[in-house]
Amino acid sequence: MSGARKGMTRHRGAHLGDFTVQPRMLVICGWALLVGAAGAVAALALLRLIGLVTNVVFYQRWSTALVAPGLEHRPWWLVLGAPVVGGLVIGAMARYGSEKIRGHGMPEAIEAILTGGSRVAPRVAVLKPVSAAISIGTGGPFGAEGPIIMTGGAIGSILAQGLRLSADERKTLLVSGAAAGMAATFNSPLAAVLLAVELLLFEWRPRSFVPVVAAVGVSTVVRGFLLGTAPIFPVSTTGLHVAPTVDVLCLAAGLLGGALAVVATWLVYRAEDGFARLPFHWMWWPAIGGLVIGLGGLVEPRALGVGYDVIEQLLTGHATVSLIVGILVVKTLIWSLSLGSGTSGGVLAPVFMIGGAVGAAEGLVFPQVIPGFWAMMGLAAVVGGVMRSPLTGVIFTLELTHAWGTVLPLLISSTAAYALSALLLKRSVLTEKIARRGLHLTREYSTDPLETFFVEEVMDRRPLLLQGAESVAAALKLTREAKISADDGRRLVPVVTGEGATGMVTTQDLLLDAAAEDVGRPGNSTVADVCMPSPVTLRPDDTLRRAAYLFAEHGVTQAPVVGHGPDERVVGTVTLHHLLHARRHDLTEEHHRQRLIPGGRRRDPDVVPT
């Protein structure tokens, strides 16, 4: 088989696999529209709640405007004590409310999809945003996007649980709510969809992709009415000209951002390991994390809170050297160490700020392109390295800034960081948390090799076929001649009559019937008397993936293959062993190396000259 087979199936009939439009998809789309609108409202409510807590705690005023805790000078005892009190409240909420509010949201959503049948408890939809607002509003250096992902996902899941839906359909609505909340938070519809595909869906199928886009579309429109349609951090691209030397430096910027992403990820989990060794209950850990935050706030107050104002300064080129250094050092340390305490808060906004800071630091040395150019490269790189989502890093940066002319530099930086992170770390900041809970999660998607082969290409074309009119004794003789032993007692053998396939019989059934005759049962049984209807019948142009699904659904290990002719004649059989053919082909494609064009005096013995 040639390499062109991977990811390709030749269509030979009515079977369309995943490309068949399911009527259920339209039903789920209808519900996703409602989830999208609810996700936008939830995002607005969370942002307002964060603003309220921040204003009450740090400015002693009643306002829901989003403001930075360190924008004005605050008393030292408030900067130090507010995060500790916030940590105490969150610890109590997690212990006596729901432990699911701990963490930054995305791993919890992934875990609900992988192990919980996409079911989220209704109380999480309330406790998660409240705990996040308390965490961020009391100075926590986190983002709102992780909690809104969990909250939006909870909205979709709760709706799905009230309907008669499958686990996959519940997953689609959960992810629709999560992506809708993300899109409404940052006015980034495409990035939200990519995040859903790269992190949450674990598939790329019309049945899930279309409803998610529908939810994100509605959420973005509703967000426009509630918060406006302007980019969050607009960057002017007047005079933008990216020379080839700048593209090369973007590779260096990506590697530096990737190295910072590796360090930050390592710090998060070393901190988590350190907290796990403490000799007291995890309820108190967020308060210790709050102490770390307060100490960092005394050094650099601008590192506290969600930090949208700082991100804007970095991306527009208005940040001072002291702010760049302070954010790069203090924000990285307090975010990484406090996140390991199990408090509630997201990772994207801090990653934006840290990435923007490392890029702005590079801009002090690299040649000037436009204000904020290198901060954008750093932002995309750190997102690509921390999240292991390089395309999401590129699209997020573009939608946040509307600097569309920087696509290629961003792609270079984000991919370089992603490559470095993949080489140095076994898992990302998201998948490591999942792995520590005893779950295996792969982020490498490829075409199922079972989908690229047809049944007729691997089936046994000369199977043993029993005639319904044959006696049981004669049938047993035939099975022995075909070397089907008693050890294969559950092996199915096709039974045919003049009209074609009528059923299947096992050697065990034949042996039991023969034994009954030996003890005096009158009459001479035929194979037709003991056979059963075949639970699975395959066609030659069915894919091996369909065969595997039918085997799993009916609990069988082989099935007859029936032709398309009017007599529906049995033309072969397929067993589990035949399904391995596709896997062996995939392994050969991946690991077998050969030279196809002879070079020099050496010639690969596997190559046949033409």
Side-chain angles (χ1 to χ4, degrees):
M1 295 296 176
S2 69
R5 290 210 53 142
K6 186 171 280 190
M8 177 189 74
T9 300
R10 297 187 302 277
H11 174 55
R12 299 182 183 175
H15 179 63
L16 294 176
D18 287 339
F19 295 98
T20 302
V21 177
Q22 302 283 347
R24 292 289 301 173
M25 181 183 74
L26 301 179
V27 175
I28 301 303
C29 272
W31 291 114
L33 297 176
L34 180 61
V35 170
V41 174
L44 174 65
L46 177 57
L47 292 175
R48 293 290 183 259
L49 191 57
I50 291 172
L52 176 63
V53 176
T54 305
N55 278 284
V56 169
V57 171
F58 286 95
Y59 298 96
Q60 295 80 52
R61 64 192 180 200
W62 191 265
S63 173
T64 59
L66 207 59
V67 63
L71 191 60
E72 299 176 7
H73 177 72
R74 299 285 94 192
W76 69 267
W77 54 266
L78 181 60
V79 174
L80 185 62
V84 175
V85 174
L88 289 171
V89 174
I90 292 166
M93 291 178 65
R95 182 170 183 178
Y96 301 109
S98 173
E99 191 177 345
K100 296 296 183 182
I101 69 171
R102 302 179 70 214
H104 47 89
M106 278 184 271
E108 289 73 26
I110 293 172
E111 186 177 13
I113 292 169
L114 291 178
T115 66
S118 299
R119 292 187 294 267
V120 179
R123 58 184 172 179
V124 174
V126 176
L127 293 178
K128 186 64 178 180
V130 172
S131 65
I134 293 172
S135 174
I136 300 169
T138 55
F142 310 113
E145 69 292 327
I148 195 56
I149 281 178
M150 194 63 184
T151 304
I155 292 172
S157 174
I158 292 167
L159 174 62
Q161 291 175 61
L163 303 171
R164 188 178 178 85
L165 301 180
S166 68
D168 278 341
E169 291 168 337
R170 285 196 301 272
K171 175 186 72 174
T172 299
L173 288 182
L174 185 155
V175 177
S176 295
M182 175 68 72
T185 302
F186 290 112
N187 193 26
S188 54
L190 184 54
V193 172
L194 276 177
L195 192 75
V197 171
E198 290 191 310
L199 294 178
L200 298 173
L201 280 178
F202 304 102
E203 65 180 27
W204 187 300
R205 291 182 172 182
R207 70 178 189 183
S208 54
F209 180 78
V210 174
V212 168
V213 171
V216 166
V218 170
S219 174
T220 306
V221 171
V222 173
R223 196 255 186 216
F225 287 108
L226 299 176
L227 295 170
T229 58
I232 304 297
F233 310 117
V235 171
S236 174
T237 57
T238 303
L240 174 66
H241 174 70
V242 181
T245 54
V246 172
D247 287 330
V248 174
L249 289 174
C250 287
L251 177 62
L255 293 175
L256 288 172
L260 179 59
V262 169
V263 171
T265 303
W266 182 86
L267 281 173
V268 168
Y269 290 106
R270 295 294 76 76
E272 192 171 274
D273 292 338
F275 278 105
R277 288 192 289 267
L278 294 176
F280 43 82
H281 197 276
W282 54 257
M283 182 183 82
W284 306 105
W285 299 354
I288 299 175
L291 180 61
V292 173
I293 294 169
L295 292 173
L298 294 176
V299 177
E300 178 52 74
R302 302 294 299 278
L304 299 178
V306 70
Y308 291 161
D309 59 321
V310 176
I311 298 172
E312 183 175 9
Q313 285 186 276
L314 292 167
L315 291 177
T316 54
H318 294 142
T320 62
V321 175
S322 62
L323 178 61
I324 293 171
V325 175
I327 293 301
L328 190 57
V329 176
V330 176
K331 186 78 172 186
T332 302
L333 286 175
I334 65 173
W335 170 73
S336 303
L337 297 178
S338 60
L339 192 63
S341 70
T343 191
S344 180
V347 300
L348 269 181
V351 166
F352 290 167
M353 189 186 294
I354 294 168
V358 71
E362 294 161 357
L364 299 174
V365 180
F366 291 170
Q368 176 76 8
V369 182
I370 57 172
F373 177 85
W374 293 109
M376 293 171 58
M377 298 305 111
L379 189 156
V382 177
V383 172
V386 170
M387 309 284 290
R388 294 276 184 92
S389 303
L391 296 179
T392 299
V394 173
I395 301 303
F396 248 131
T397 308
L398 290 173
E399 290 189 310
L400 290 172
T401 62
H402 284 198
W404 306 111
T406 60
V407 173
L408 180 59
L410 289 172
L411 185 61
I412 293 171
S413 296
S414 183
T415 304
Y418 169 72
L420 184 65
S421 176
L423 289 171
L424 297 182
L425 290 177
K426 187 175 181 179
R427 287 178 283 265
S428 73
V429 73
L430 303 179
T431 55
E432 176 70 19
K433 198 172 187 71
I434 297 294
R436 290 179 174 219
R437 295 174 182 175
L439 302 174
H440 175 68
L441 173 64
T442 179
R443 292 278 306 282
E444 297 181 356
Y445 302 148
S446 62
T447 301
D448 187 348
L450 294 176
E451 188 70 11
T452 64
F453 282 88
F454 292 100
V455 164
E456 66 177 337
E457 296 179 87
V458 302
M459 68 183 184
D460 182 356
R461 295 179 179 273
R462 295 194 300 174
L464 171 64
L465 301 177
L466 298 178
Q467 300 297 321
E470 286 179 322
S471 66
V472 171
L476 282 172
K477 182 179 179 182
L478 288 174
T479 60
R480 285 192 289 268
E481 291 175 352
K483 297 182 180 179
I484 301 176
S485 66
D487 294 336
D488 298 321
R490 297 308 302 169
R491 180 169 172 179
L492 295 172
V493 181
V495 179
V496 298
T497 66
E499 292 78 28
T502 59
M504 304 289 287
V505 70
T506 68
T507 52
Q508 184 181 47
D509 292 333
L510 296 174
L511 288 169
L512 289 175
D513 190 84
E517 289 188 4
D518 290 342
V519 296
R521 192 184 68 184
N524 187 21
S525 297
T526 65
V527 174
D529 296 327
V530 296
C531 76
M532 69 188 83
S534 177
V536 175
T537 301
L538 297 170
R539 299 289 187 176
D541 56 354
D542 282 332
T543 64
L544 295 190
R545 182 178 180 180
R546 173 174 168 77
Y549 278 144
L550 290 174
F551 282 6
E553 180 182 355
H554 296 280
V556 299
T557 58
Q558 72 171 358
V561 182
V562 178
H564 285 289
D567 58 349
E568 294 195 333
R569 183 173 58 88
V570 175
V571 295
T573 58
V574 165
T575 68
L576 282 178
H577 174 76
H578 292 122
L579 301 186
L580 296 178
H581 176 86
R583 296 296 179 188
R584 287 193 296 269
H585 173 78
D586 197 49
L587 287 172
T588 300
E589 292 271 296
E590 183 173 354
H591 297 293
H592 180 64
R593 294 174 175 83
Q594 61 181 7
R595 178 180 294 152
L596 297 177
I597 300 178
R601 296 182 179 180
R602 299 180 62 187
R603 177 169 293 180
D604 195 306
D606 293 332
V607 177
V608 179
T610 57

